[in-house]
Amino acid sequence: MLSPDISLLLNTNFQVSSMVLTSTQLRQAIAQPSARKILSQYYPANTRIEENDLSVRAISRAIAESQQRLYGVNVSPTKYKDRVRRAIAGQSLTPDTVHLFADTFEFDDETVDQLLSQLSHENALFSTALTYLHEFPQASVNHAFLDISPTGRGTTELSINCTISALELGSSSFILFVPFTVGEAYKVQGCTATRVSAEGQWLFELDEPLAPLSNALLTMCFEVDTEQEGGSHLMLLPFWGKYNAIAIRVNSGLDTGEVAIETQGMGATESVQISDGVCNSGVYSRYFPAVENETLKIFW
């Protein structure tokens, strides 16, 4: 069952929290071989450790033991669990917490300086953090539904709904290629969203992290001009990367009318018609098992 809906309207004026980006770099540092070797000692015996698995319990045990060994501080690992979880999720991260991880996993001075520098930058955006989210995603995006409807104001509304599934550690941020790029500012509910590439790549930072292995519904709305000469309409939807299970519905607003869909690969010069039909009571729908690195052209 889906958790309460997360309604997101994109806002190009928002910047990404430095805390969230620092947490991604922290996770990347723990994923390095030397740190992984230390962490592996604190997993239960005979446990199969996935490459990008960061157990909050194992990290807490490692921190508790290192603090006792280095400083004689005797604190139960349970006391560190919430602090570790919030730091990894990007929900709460301080310089003291950075040093706590650095002591435990023996980060070199350069890594510590990078983490502290990133944390001190207000609204900073670093390519290394984005690269990490690509390599170690916190969530997967599936089952997108696109609804296209006239507004009655000479424009067309594009509504995008898709399922966000948090992975083992939960999700505080994720990258999504939105198949339509706008430059206007919109009100944000439930997150901040920053466009990080001209191709429509967006970084979403959630106000409240999703729990591990939970789902939520992501909703985005755009109002765009699609009218062409002669009263017809055209919408271009570029899909960078791979999308699974895409459904498109066109509400023409007319009792009768024709709809055509063409596809054109990225970099290709010609498009291929893949669907055409007549609207039934003003509605036309089409399902795609997968769409990858191509632009859909919708005429009606």
Side-chain angles (χ1 to χ4, degrees), residues 205-227:
E205 177 194 345
L206 304 181
D207 293 344
E208 293 293 334
L210 291 177
L213 305 179
S214 65
N215 299 313
L217 181 64
L218 170 64
T219 300
M220 296 168 283
C221 297
F222 309 91
E223 189 171 322
V224 296
D225 183 10
T226 60
E227 190 166 351

Side-chain angles (χ1 to χ4, degrees), residues 81-122:
K81 284 180 61 176
D82 186 63
R83 187 175 181 181
V84 168
R85 181 189 62 79
R86 291 165 66 87
I88 292 177
Q91 192 173 9
S92 178
L93 185 59
T94 65
D96 286 344
T97 301
V98 170
H99 284 294
L100 198 65
F101 277 82
D103 287 343
T104 301
F105 297 106
E106 302 178 1
F107 295 162
D108 57 34
D109 292 342
E110 182 179 0
T111 299
V112 175
D113 289 343
Q114 288 177 347
L115 290 168
L116 294 175
S117 176
Q118 169 72 82
L119 189 61
S120 68
H121 282 80
E122 197 65 34

